Amino acid sequence: MTDQRTPLAAHATAHPVHPLEMVTGEEMQRAAEIVRADARFPANGMFAHVRLHEPAKDELAGYAAGQAVDRRLEALVVPPDRLEAIEIVVSVASGEVVSWTVQPGMRPALLFGESMYAILGVREHPEWQAALRRRGIEDFDLVQIDPWPAGSFGSPHEEGRRISRCIAYLRESATDNGYARPLEGMIAFFDHGAREVLEVVDLGAVPLPPERGSYLPEDVGPMRDDLKPLEITQPDGPSFTVDGNLVQWQRWSLRIGFDPYEGLTLHDISYRDGDRTRPVLHRASISEMVVPYGHPGPMHGWKNAFDAGEWGLGRMANSLTLGCDCLGEIHYFDAILATEEGTPYTVEHAICMHEEDYGILWKHQDLHGGTTEVRRSRRLVVSFIATVGNYEYGFYWYFYLDGNVQLEVKLTGIVSPMAVTPGDDLSCANLIAPGLAAPNHQHIFSARLDLDIDGTTNTVVEVEAEAVPPGPDNPWANAFRQKSTVLETELAAQRDVNAATSRAWKVVNPDVTNRLGLPVGYKLTPTMSTPTMLAAPESSVGRRAGFARHNLWVTPYSPDERRAAGDYPNQHEGGDGLPRWTAADRPITDTDVVLWYTFGVTHFARPEDWPVMPVEYTGFLLSPVGFFERNPALDVPPSTGAGCHASP
Ligand code: NI
């Protein structure tokens, strides 16, 4: 082992690595070795994650290119026999443990290995098998068992344990759509630490829905034969460059990162404006997401998956080598993750980057002068897709030529359904196929946006439309104005969208003004209707996903405040994250602010969402407001070439 360590250490100190460069397999392996070698490492300890320890913001600000970097990694270690999470930071180069912090009573996200034990343990349990026999099922291998995060409902099974609730589906074959035939009424509680079934609940059988719900081409029938090829060619290659994790495209510059829970993270996003490099976003990511189900019944009412904090969007990332997820001249980034033994493994092509044509950027036909000027819009797309059980979530960050930045989330995959019989109360579910319904649910995301508009001295202003009262100053009763309200403190900054007033939030730098004397800014605009959480604040998920109660939260930057529902949402009783931090009501003007934007969809499933859901979209837009002196995309050249005109 020593042979491997020496060159690694040399690499880590001598080679000019940027502090935010993505973790390498060698670094991860070395970090796990350092952790294991510590006398405090628990017997049979499991690694919930190993990841980059991102340097604090002031350290990053002090970094100069070429400088030696003390690369630090974080490990989260879990002992199998007691309820605690151990947070460890190590220096890869020096081999030292920098910090070792025990978090008593905290549970990590569900571990894959343990989830496999849950599936095997439940499958072999006599009470489970008896419940299957009561449903006429003898071939237990055809039963698909899905462990779910158990939530926090005061069940005696939860106390002092890491558990999951397992539900099941009957498959006809290995490649079947398992979700077509839910085994309604069956729930098994599994203790992950002790690796044993705690209880098998049978609420009573419901007949299996009759249809297989296959979406495989061989089962769908004849495929359409009238789609002509549509090819994207970039004969001179793409317009971006990549150096390590540094991406440069047009005036944009950014660094790519990857986190086990957040998935894709974006860093150091700046715009080159003439000879100025102007910061826009220090860091952007999805910090958490939750899927609260709105069905009151005992089979579905407890489902509240925190897909980031309880599973990990990064850990569930697809390898985009299979299929056709991206089109064009593509650059892929791999992601390195750790097994529960601390061994690095690679998710090949986890992140896709490419350029897309996006219709027109701007146009004017001058009816008097006879000129017509039109420019094509184009965007840089950085994306990844996570499969969390039945659902797929695609996260697409877009950078535009006019300074806009957008996040679009694409929801697809298979809804989590229930078997129903005629006469069942379907007030909180929708029929999607014969004998099959989908409980109403929401998908609510929290984007953490550490905006730095031309620096870190920023203030958040709510802007919305307001009608001017009719009177001598408004004789035609038509006038409306823009109302601006500075959000002074954290509690005042808990805000909700209001489509009727076109409400949006502008982040300005009061110290930097444009040529009109106004502070430079960027505006966060809801691009689609977006809900807050419908579950009551005092409900289990209401307490645990407090972030979902408001669309906007603003906090002063703190390196420890990374995840909207706290670091350990799994089986957490609630109250952590944004509600806890913002209770201090810290001032947020003229300071380094972080915006947390809650957005998503309320899903009343349709028949068209079955057997696999066409993409549903949600997201938001960040656009410059007085950041530039004028339209920053005037210098985009006109398009040339035959592609612009129909062939004669
Ligand atoms: Ni849905």
Side-chain angles (χ1 to χ4, degrees):
M1 298 302 278
T2 318
D3 305 345
Q4 290 174 355
R5 288 181 193 182
T6 315
L8 269 176
H11 175 268
T13 47
H15 191 72
V17 174
H18 188 273
L20 290 174
E21 203 69 58
M22 288 166 82
V23 173
T24 65
E26 290 83 358
E27 287 179 324
M28 196 173 278
Q29 192 164 334
R30 179 80 180 107
E33 285 166 11
I34 298 164
V35 169
R36 280 184 183 286
D38 192 284
R40 292 166 287 185
F41 188 77
N44 300 316
M46 294 170 291
F47 288 83
H49 67 241
V50 181
R51 64 179 177 188
L52 181 67
H53 179 69
E54 290 179 22
K57 210 163 167 174
D58 50 352
E59 285 174 55
L60 278 174
Y63 171 78
Q67 197 177 314
V69 178
D70 178 20
R71 291 277 281 181
R72 294 182 174 188
L73 267 60
E74 293 174 9
L76 185 70
V77 169
V78 185
D81 54 349
R82 58 185 189 276
L83 200 59
E84 62 185 37
I86 310 169
E87 300 166 346
I88 303 151
V89 178
V90 301
S91 164
V92 174
S94 71
E96 283 167 12
V97 171
V98 178
S99 67
W100 189 284
T101 310
V102 177
Q103 300 285 0
M106 292 299 135
R107 301 164 176 90
L110 289 168
L111 303 177
F112 295 156
E114 289 192 337
S115 298
M116 287 309 299
Y117 281 109
I119 292 168
L120 297 172
V122 169
R123 178 170 289 151
E124 285 161 15
H125 196 266
E127 287 180 39
W128 179 263
Q129 296 186 348
L132 290 174
R133 285 201 186 90
R134 285 196 288 277
R135 288 162 172 78
I137 299 163
E138 297 289 341
D139 188 347
F140 306 137
D141 289 340
L142 288 176
V143 175
Q144 170 187 327
I145 298 170
D146 284 11
W148 273 65
S152 174
F153 294 93
S155 149
H157 298 320
E158 297 164 7
E159 190 63 34
R161 295 190 181 95
R162 289 182 288 113
I163 67 165
S164 62
R165 298 191 195 218
C166 299
I167 57 175
Y169 306 85
L170 184 66
R171 282 175 178 265
E172 279 183 19
S173 66
T175 57
D176 213 9
N177 177 357
Y179 298 101
R181 293 191 171 128
L183 292 171
E184 207 64 28
M186 291 176 62
I187 306 172
F189 287 82
F190 191 82
D191 181 338
H192 287 249
R195 291 186 182 165
E196 63 184 22
V197 174
L198 295 166
E199 185 186 1
V200 175
V201 177
D202 190 348
L203 300 162
V206 175
L208 291 174
E211 294 180 0
R212 291 179 63 217
S214 177
Y215 50 86
L216 302 177
E218 56 267 33
D219 295 325
V220 169
M223 295 278 120
R224 300 176 194 202
D225 60 2
D226 50 357
L227 279 169
K228 306 287 187 236
L230 196 164
E231 284 167 9
I232 312 293
T233 55
Q234 293 188 274
D236 300 332
S239 313
F240 54 75
T241 61
V242 181
D243 178 12
N245 72 337
L246 176 66
V247 173
Q248 290 183 294
W249 178 79
Q250 289 295 295
R251 308 292 154 81
W252 289 107
S253 167
L254 57 140
R255 285 188 181 273
I256 307 294
F258 199 81
D259 179 270
Y261 308 101
E262 302 168 291
L264 173 62
T265 59
L266 301 175
H267 307 260
D268 274 355
I269 300 169
S270 62
Y271 192 97
R272 187 167 40 79
D273 184 12
D275 53 6
R276 285 193 293 169
T277 296
R278 305 181 62 189
V280 174
L281 270 159
H282 174 70
R283 190 181 189 283
S285 68
I286 291 293
S287 86
E288 189 51 88
M289 68 159 292
V290 64
V291 189
Y293 281 74
H295 195 275
M299 187 70 201
H300 302 278
W302 52 269
K303 290 179 170 177
N304 298 308
F306 288 67
D307 286 338
E310 291 179 331
W311 279 118
L313 297 172
R315 299 198 310 163
M316 299 302 206
N318 292 181
S319 175
L320 301 174
T321 48
L322 304 169
C324 195
D325 298 289
C326 307
L327 209 55
E329 288 289 319
I330 297 164
H331 182 92
Y332 291 107
F333 295 88
D334 294 344
I336 310 281
L337 294 168
T339 67
E340 277 138 48
E341 291 73 45
T343 310
Y345 68 95
T346 303
V347 182
E348 279 180 38
H349 297 191
I351 299 165
C352 171
M353 184 170 72
H354 69 294
E355 292 175 285
E356 274 179 4
D357 180 273
Y358 193 59
I360 63 165
L361 170 62
W362 58 263
K363 172 169 185 167
H364 185 60
Q365 181 172 321
D366 181 347
L367 297 177
H368 300 278
T371 59
T372 297
E373 294 293 329
V374 59
R375 302 292 183 274
R376 297 296 301 173
S377 179
R378 172 191 304 217
R379 61 191 186 186
L380 178 73
V381 187
V382 190
S383 67
F384 83 107
I385 301 175
T387 301
V388 189
N390 51 305
Y391 255 106
E392 262 77 10
Y393 300 103
F395 298 89
Y396 293 74
W397 289 92
Y398 302 129
F399 295 86
Y400 293 89
L401 298 167
D402 61 357
N404 281 358
V405 180
Q406 184 185 1
L407 174 66
E408 188 168 71
V409 182
K410 302 184 186 184
L411 296 84
T412 179
I414 302 175
V415 297
S416 182
M418 61 197 290
V420 293
T421 50
D424 283 358
D425 176 7
L426 289 182
S427 55
C428 297
N430 280 292
L431 268 182
I432 52 173
L436 195 70
N440 298 342
H441 59 274
Q442 299 185 285
H443 303 261
I444 306 181
F445 304 85
S446 170
R448 181 183 181 277
L449 303 168
D450 183 354
L451 285 139
D452 283 1
I453 304 301
D454 267 336
T456 53
T457 307
N458 287 177
T459 292
V460 185
V461 184
E462 181 169 280
V463 289
E464 59 189 332
E466 180 182 57
V468 177
D473 295 335
N474 183 18
W476 294 306
N478 65 310
F480 61 91
R481 58 196 165 208
Q482 189 174 53
K483 180 178 150 193
S484 294
T485 310
V486 172
L487 303 179
E488 303 268 358
T489 67
E490 288 179 298
L491 291 179
Q494 293 173 5
R495 305 295 297 162
D496 297 324
V497 299
N498 184 350
T501 65
S502 303
R503 185 177 289 167
W505 298 283
K506 197 162 72 171
V507 180
V508 297
N509 187 328
D511 294 342
V512 182
T513 51
N514 57 30
R515 65 178 176 144
L516 307 175
L518 301 168
V520 297
Y522 254 78
K523 185 169 73 172
L524 169 62
T525 308
T527 44
M528 294 169 204
S529 79
T530 186
T532 49
M533 187 169 44
L534 289 157
E538 67 271 23
S539 66
S540 173
V541 70
R543 294 191 309 272
R544 298 174 63 218
F547 72 87
R549 289 207 295 271
H550 293 291
N551 293 110
L552 183 80
W553 305 70
V554 184
T555 56
Y557 168 80
S558 169
D560 299 333
E561 297 174 2
R562 281 266 297 269
R563 308 267 303 286
D567 288 337
Y568 300 100
N570 188 12
Q571 287 183 251
H572 198 284
E573 62 184 14
D576 202 4
L578 283 168
R580 181 166 69 82
W581 306 326
T582 58
D585 203 20
R586 294 167 289 188
I588 49 169
T589 54
D590 298 341
T591 191
D592 189 358
V593 292
V594 176
L595 272 62
W596 308 72
Y597 183 57
T598 304
F599 65 100
V601 298
T602 297
H603 197 179
F604 299 120
R606 313 166 294 165
E608 290 86 349
D609 291 334
W610 186 256
V612 63
M613 206 179 119
V615 164
E616 181 167 3
Y617 300 87
T618 182
F620 60 87
L621 178 70
L622 292 166
S623 50
V625 180
F627 188 79
F628 298 108
E629 307 289 9
R630 59 180 65 76
N631 178 349
L634 292 181
D635 58 351
V636 173
S639 304
T640 54
C644 291
H645 307 282
S647 313

